[in-house]
Amino acid sequence: MESNQQKSFSCPILSREACLQQRYELQILYDISSALHGSPHLQDVLQKALMAILSNLEFKMGAIYLLKEVQADQLLLELAAHHGVSYTLANSIKFLSAPRKLIEGYYFKNPVRWLPIGKIVFSRLRDRMREEGIEEIISISLMTQKKVLGLLYVTNDGPLQLKPDRSELLTTIGQQLGVSIENAQLFESVERAKSELEISFDAIQHSIFLVDTRMRIYRVNRTSEMVYGDSKELIGKKYTNILYNMEQPHPECAIWACLWSGQPVRREGPHPRWGGYYHFYAFPVFNPTGTLERVVYYEKDATEARKLEQRLQQSDRLKALGTLAAGIAHEIRNPLATINFNAQMLLRELSLDPAQEQMFDDMVQEIKKIDRIVQQVLLFARPREPQFLPNQLNDVVRYCHDLAKVHLRKANVEVSLELEKDIPTLVMDFSQISQVVMNLILNAIEAMTGGGKLSIKTEYQKAPTALVLELSDTGPGILEEDRSRIFDPFFTRKPEGTGLGLSISRQILEKHGAYIELDSTPGEGTTFRIVFPLPSGESGALPVQTTAT
């Protein structure tokens, strides 16, 4: 009877202890769970989880190792979070290597292990444990259903030393932390991919717009902001207003064509807002249901590339024409010399009346004119090699200005010189570059038949680094249909011209690694820009000296 009473009395007590133990363990799991869900970032998850575990279990030291890499049969784990160890000690236990089979097999079957101090591989850690009076460490596998992600080590010390009967609690903690680590790693992987995409998106050196089906700008890259303005002023606006300063799409709009067709679109030509020459691309973006969601628009400024292509094409044409012209000139030169010699002999030997003498004189003069043309053709076909020496571009301009003063005064042309001081020295043929500048000055004088203004300017250009010589006149300009032919040999609209001046000038500049650009507006004037590219790093001062005559 007494035994039965004692038994019935002891059951409620045991039940109460089990209940308290269960509540205690649930509270631990709750506290750890709260710490795990406080942040999506891996480092925060690890540190907060470790602190929550050590605090609730009242342990002094702990460390979390995460799988870093797989090497054949070995797994390398790296210390990712720790508490209760010094910086020096943490460095000495930074990496841990273990057999692959041990981690992937044993730790799945037996995820919690009690390791006595003698089995600790790090000598400094053993010394520290002895100082603290710690006899063992608990190793807990951090795992998901599919794989082991790392290991949690805690010192089994303090008032709540855990025995193997608490393996289930520790296994649950390891699984809970493993799932949180996997989620945090996935989150950081997505964040990293997003960051890399944003960096790549902003690194593209051409304007990119994302436009939705309502024709509104959804997103822009950094280059677009540099060209069109701050993103706050762009996003949400109608793309036609931003790109074209128009309410409706222009006829060749790539975005509009892509929105309507749902197909990639490519266009090229002048930009409706900036001019020049551009390549335009528009690509459709569909959602999972196959509905067009937005358009990726990309525009590339190909103005300089097109100019270079045109210069190369023209250079090829000039070479071909030069070869042809040289052959023709040689064929003309020999019979021309015979005609000239015979004409002069007849002029000496025949008795001619004044009218006949005048006819022979005219014939000799025209022969000399043809000979000069032949000489120019041969110079164009086989120009002499430049003699490269250090020279100042400003000195060339002043020299040519002095030579042309008489012509300028007679033509009633006012000249303005804007020569930048302290510009870098150029390695060039002074005589040949003077020939180019003189030719441009004389062309400008001939264009301004009733007088006008000629501006000659030199400047240092920073991006890309170059010296630029610019000559601008106030003449009638060049016809649009003539602009593509202006550098072609033998093209001229002057009654007495040969059409070789600009061709030879361009050829000289190419040998100097320079190039010439033309900008002309009919009725307003013409500007020629000669660009001498410089090696990066060369620079000059910026003050400008302005004189006028």
Side-chain angles (χ1 to χ4, degrees):
M1 182 73 177
E2 184 178 350
S3 176
N4 290 336
Q5 287 178 345
Q6 187 175 6
K7 186 176 180 182
S8 64
F9 180 76
S10 64
C11 284
I13 293 174
L14 291 172
S15 232
R16 186 167 177 273
E17 286 178 353
C19 183
L20 288 173
Q21 183 67 37
Q22 188 178 34
R23 287 182 61 185
Y24 171 68
E25 291 180 358
L26 287 173
Q27 184 63 45
I28 291 175
L29 292 174
Y30 175 78
D31 290 344
I32 294 172
S33 177
S34 299
L36 290 174
H37 291 89
S39 170
H41 298 286
L42 180 61
Q43 198 56 45
D44 290 341
V45 167
L46 297 175
Q47 201 62 44
K48 288 180 179 179
L50 182 60
M51 293 304 297
I53 292 167
L54 296 178
S55 174
N56 278 279
L57 298 178
E58 300 184 41
F59 293 152
K60 290 182 180 178
M61 295 187 291
I64 296 177
Y65 285 84
L66 293 184
L67 184 63
K68 182 176 177 63
E69 61 182 79
V70 180
Q71 298 177 340
D73 295 332
Q74 289 290 113
L75 297 181
L76 182 65
L77 296 99
E78 183 177 15
L79 183 65
H82 59 84
H83 180 74
V85 299
S86 65
Y87 177 78
T88 304
L89 180 56
N91 276 338
S92 70
I93 61 173
K94 191 174 180 65
F95 294 101
L96 179 65
S97 180
R100 185 170 184 171
K101 289 183 178 179
L102 177 67
I103 297 292
E104 294 181 348
Y106 185 77
Y107 273 94
F108 263 115
K109 296 176 183 177
N110 188 12
V112 182
R113 301 174 65 198
W114 275 257
L115 304 174
I117 192 170
K119 288 193 175 182
I120 306 300
V121 296
F122 300 112
S123 59
R124 290 188 180 181
L125 181 58
R126 291 197 302 269
D127 295 340
R128 173 68 189 280
M129 289 174 64
R130 290 191 181 100
E131 290 173 5
E132 297 288 338
I134 301 169
E135 297 297 329
E136 66 181 358
I137 279 179
I138 303 174
S139 171
I140 305 167
S141 176
L142 306 178
M143 58 186 179
T144 62
Q145 291 182 346
K146 295 181 179 180
K147 59 182 178 180
V148 175
L149 299 175
L151 296 173
L152 165 64
Y153 291 96
V154 292
T155 53
N156 193 16
D157 59 328
L160 298 176
Q161 290 190 19
L162 300 181
K163 302 301 180 184
D165 62 345
R166 291 289 176 262
S167 291
E168 188 176 350
L169 169 65
L170 297 175
T171 300
T172 304
I173 291 174
Q175 291 172 341
Q176 191 177 29
L177 184 51
V179 170
S180 296
I181 289 172
E182 185 176 52
N183 290 338
Q185 287 176 335
L186 287 172
F187 175 80
E188 291 200 345
S189 176
V190 170
E191 285 288 295
R192 186 164 53 251
K194 180 184 175 184
S195 175
E196 288 172 356
L197 283 173
E198 288 177 348
I199 291 170
S200 301
F201 186 67
D202 283 333
I204 296 172
Q205 298 298 303
H206 305 288
S207 297
I208 298 179
F209 288 77
L210 271 62
V211 179
D212 63 26
T213 53
R214 298 179 300 118
M215 300 172 62
R216 304 289 172 179
I217 296 172
Y218 175 77
R219 190 171 180 181
V220 298
N221 69 337
R222 190 167 296 163
T223 302
S224 298
E225 292 188 75
M226 294 169 60
V227 176
Y228 292 94
D230 191 89
S231 61
K232 295 177 183 177
E233 302 298 324
L234 303 177
I235 293 174
K237 300 291 179 62
K238 195 174 179 181
Y239 80 85
T240 54
N241 294 333
I242 301 300
L243 292 175
Y244 312 134
N245 272 343
M246 298 163 59
E247 189 61 33
Q248 298 300 324
H250 70 92
E252 294 298 316
C253 177
I255 299 175
W256 183 249
C258 186
L259 285 170
W260 270 101
S261 67
Q263 298 292 324
V265 176
R266 183 184 185 278
R267 299 274 193 272
E268 59 181 76
H271 196 290
R273 183 169 178 181
W274 310 122
Y277 193 86
Y278 279 69
H279 293 160
F280 309 102
Y281 304 88
F283 304 95
V285 178
F286 299 95
N287 63 22
T289 64
T291 304
L292 181 65
E293 196 166 84
R294 62 179 65 98
V295 168
V296 178
Y297 170 72
Y298 171 89
E299 63 180 31
K300 179 181 179 181
D301 185 355
T303 306
E304 292 303 318
R306 185 169 175 80
K307 286 180 180 178
L308 176 59
E309 182 183 354
Q310 289 173 339
R311 287 199 299 269
L312 291 173
Q313 289 174 351
Q314 195 156 36
S315 178
D316 290 339
R317 271 203 320 273
L318 291 179
K319 288 177 182 177
L321 284 169
T323 303
L324 177 63
I328 295 173
H330 276 295
E331 292 299 323
I332 293 174
R333 199 175 188 187
N334 291 333
L336 190 65
T338 302
I339 295 170
N340 184 41
F341 176 76
N342 290 339
Q344 293 190 37
M345 288 297 294
L346 289 172
L347 187 60
R348 291 176 189 171
E349 294 176 5
L350 296 176
S351 298
L352 305 172
D353 58 39
Q356 291 172 329
E357 286 184 5
Q358 185 61 49
M359 290 171 64
F360 266 92
D361 285 338
D362 291 344
M363 183 170 60
V364 169
Q365 292 302 317
E366 292 302 316
I367 290 171
K368 290 180 178 178
K369 183 178 177 181
I370 294 172
D371 188 57
R372 283 198 302 272
I373 294 172
V374 170
Q375 292 290 346
Q376 283 187 302
V377 169
L378 290 173
L379 177 63
F380 165 73
R382 288 196 295 272
R384 72 169 178 82
E385 288 301 312
Q387 303 298 311
F388 290 108
L389 293 170
N391 285 290
Q392 269 289 334
L393 186 58
N394 287 346
D395 291 342
V396 172
V397 174
R398 293 188 186 99
Y399 172 73
C400 293
H401 176 237
D402 289 339
L403 288 180
K405 275 184 178 178
V406 175
H407 300 283
L408 292 165
R409 193 177 300 112
K410 286 182 178 179
N412 195 28
V413 173
E414 179 185 343
V415 179
S416 171
L417 299 182
E418 298 178 24
L419 308 180
E420 192 168 293
K421 290 182 179 179
D422 302 324
I423 57 176
T425 298
L426 284 176
V427 178
M428 62 179 174
D429 186 313
F430 188 95
S431 175
Q432 287 192 353
I433 298 301
S434 297
Q435 179 184 342
V436 173
V437 175
M438 198 66 191
N439 180 61
L440 293 176
I441 291 174
L442 294 176
N443 283 350
I445 293 172
E446 292 174 2
M448 295 182 285
T449 53
K453 294 183 179 180
L454 174 63
S455 171
I456 306 176
K457 179 169 68 173
T458 60
E459 63 178 348
Y460 172 73
Q461 178 181 281
K462 290 185 177 180
T465 54
L467 282 186
V468 179
L469 170 60
E470 190 173 284
L471 295 93
S472 302
D473 64 53
T474 57
I478 297 171
L479 297 174
E480 186 66 32
E481 59 266 27
D482 291 348
R483 293 183 64 169
S484 62
R485 305 171 59 196
I486 198 75
F487 294 102
D488 287 349
F490 312 114
F491 174 79
T492 181
R493 292 196 180 275
K494 302 175 187 175
E496 300 298 321
T498 62
L500 288 170
L502 287 176
S503 299
I504 293 172
S505 296
R506 186 167 192 160
Q507 198 174 53
I508 289 171
L509 293 174
E510 285 178 353
K511 284 185 174 289
H512 283 74
Y515 58 91
I516 186 169
E517 296 178 332
L518 166 67
D519 183 19
S520 182
T521 303
E524 295 183 12
T526 300
T527 297
F528 284 95
R529 293 180 78 249
I530 300 175
V531 181
F532 296 89
L534 295 174
S536 58
E538 292 202 29
S539 62
L542 297 180
V544 175
Q545 172 187 355
T546 303
T547 60
T549 58

